[in-house]
Amino acid sequence: MPAKLAAQLPYTLRLPHRQSTSAVFASPHSGDFYPADFVAQAVLPLDVLRSSEDAFVDRFLAVEGAPVLTARYPRAFVDLNRSADDLDPAVIAGAVGRANARIAAGLGVIPRVVSGGRAIYRGKLSQAEAAGRLATVWHPYHACLRALLDETRAAFGEAILFDFHSMPSEAIEITGPLRPEIVIGDRYGASASARVIGAALAAFEAEGFRVARNAPFAGAYIAQTYGQPDQGVHVLQIEIDRALYMDQRTIRPLPEFDAFAQRIAAVIAGLADIGRKPARLAAE
């Protein structure tokens, strides 16, 4: 049966008529609503701003019996896979945030750059504007995600979040000629149990994908914050090579897009099935 659609800014939440799995699917970087004032502020054209977007990933996330949460605003506007405290003083006037490698690279919660280190703005944003973006985009998305995971764990005894992303091909070229097509990040076993990790790897490998674990992406804020397997919440960050389904220069689907989408649909069905087998039975 078709899912009920609940569209609320700044995210889209698709809820099944009846949730039949502890699996939850999300895509925090596929948002493609670029506010006109943001585009006017930026010194980069829209096609360059979109280079940080996980374009089309949200189209893959449809499965019977599982909720799906997708972002509506783009990563270049607010990065939902960063802490709200990851404030970059180089782009937010007077910001006081904790120093880390992501902020130093210009990839804080309000990014300073898009892919390739290209600066988004000519000057700095005010603290009021930064706070407004967080209040409008970041906090509602994470409140929804937290509620989904809490409600799912209460209903099923566990929650498994599959957080879908895409990776530019150049990010994995360093891995050699047999570069992975899929990278599953579990923060080296900290964000999900061995049972969930193993079953997810098997689901991708069953469809013929080359899969790597934690290299070069081990999982960022969402996996680190929500992944608490000892508390019954598992999180896997799933990265897909963009070259498999899109032209990375023009940000358009390849002719092979539909065939690839069918392969991913089979994987997602397998991931949902992981949540249909209670953990206590899987351990027996």
Side-chain angles (χ1 to χ4, degrees):
M1 288 185 288
K4 295 179 291 184
L5 185 65
Q8 306 173 36
L9 291 176
Y11 54 78
T12 297
L13 174 62
R14 297 198 300 271
L15 296 171
H17 289 290
R18 184 180 68 85
Q19 187 171 345
S20 59
T21 172
S22 63
V24 174
F25 294 86
S27 174
H29 286 164
S30 58
D32 60 2
F33 171 64
Y34 288 78
D37 54 352
F38 168 59
V39 175
Q41 280 179 316
V43 298
L44 300 173
L46 181 58
D47 60 336
V48 178
L49 289 174
R50 292 194 68 194
S51 64
S52 290
E53 179 188 317
D54 288 346
F56 315 121
V57 167
D58 54 334
R59 296 190 191 180
F60 303 138
L61 303 184
V63 62
E64 183 72 22
V68 177
L69 175 65
T70 59
R72 301 192 70 192
Y73 285 84
R75 178 185 187 181
F77 187 71
V78 173
D79 192 333
L80 296 168
N81 202 21
R82 299 288 183 266
S83 167
D85 296 329
D86 281 347
L87 301 173
D88 183 353
V91 75
I92 303 169
V96 179
R98 55 188 180 184
N100 59 43
R102 291 190 176 96
I103 291 175
L107 299 173
V109 65
I110 296 181
R112 173 167 31 99
V113 302
V114 295
S115 61
R118 292 167 288 189
I120 298 173
Y121 310 98
R122 182 169 287 110
K124 293 186 179 184
L125 305 177
S126 69
Q127 289 191 51
E129 178 163 1
R133 290 191 192 183
L134 296 178
T136 301
V137 179
W138 195 97
H139 288 290
Y141 182 91
H142 280 278
C144 181
L145 178 58
R146 173 63 71 187
L148 275 176
L149 296 177
D150 287 347
E151 291 166 6
T152 297
R153 179 174 57 179
F156 293 89
E158 69 173 5
I160 307 172
L161 173 62
F162 296 103
D163 205 48
F164 272 76
H165 299 253
S166 68
M167 51 189 177
S169 296
E170 61 265 24
I172 47 177
E173 286 176 350
I174 59 172
T175 60
L178 288 178
R179 68 189 190 196
E181 296 171 314
I182 305 292
V183 176
I184 297 180
D186 57 59
R187 298 197 63 83
Y188 305 96
S191 69
S193 70
R195 171 184 66 90
V196 170
I197 296 164
L201 288 166
F204 280 99
E205 290 169 349
E207 292 300 316
F209 288 105
R210 290 193 304 274
V211 187
R213 181 180 171 193
N214 292 316
F217 303 105
Y221 173 80
I222 290 173
Q224 182 176 16
T225 302
Y226 295 95
Q228 298 179 320
D230 58 333
Q231 301 297 315
V233 180
H234 310 266
V235 180
L236 294 181
Q237 179 174 297
I238 311 292
E239 297 276 357
I240 306 172
D241 183 0
R242 294 175 185 171
L244 294 173
Y245 63 90
M246 65 176 277
D247 183 317
Q248 297 175 81
R249 184 181 60 83
T250 63
I251 315 180
R252 295 188 179 186
L254 292 173
E256 305 93 321
F257 184 91
D258 289 342
F260 175 79
Q262 290 180 4
R263 292 178 70 196
I264 285 293
V267 173
I268 288 174
L271 296 178
D273 284 344
I274 298 170
R276 293 191 172 99
K277 186 175 184 181
R280 62 181 180 276
L281 296 182
E284 291 176 355

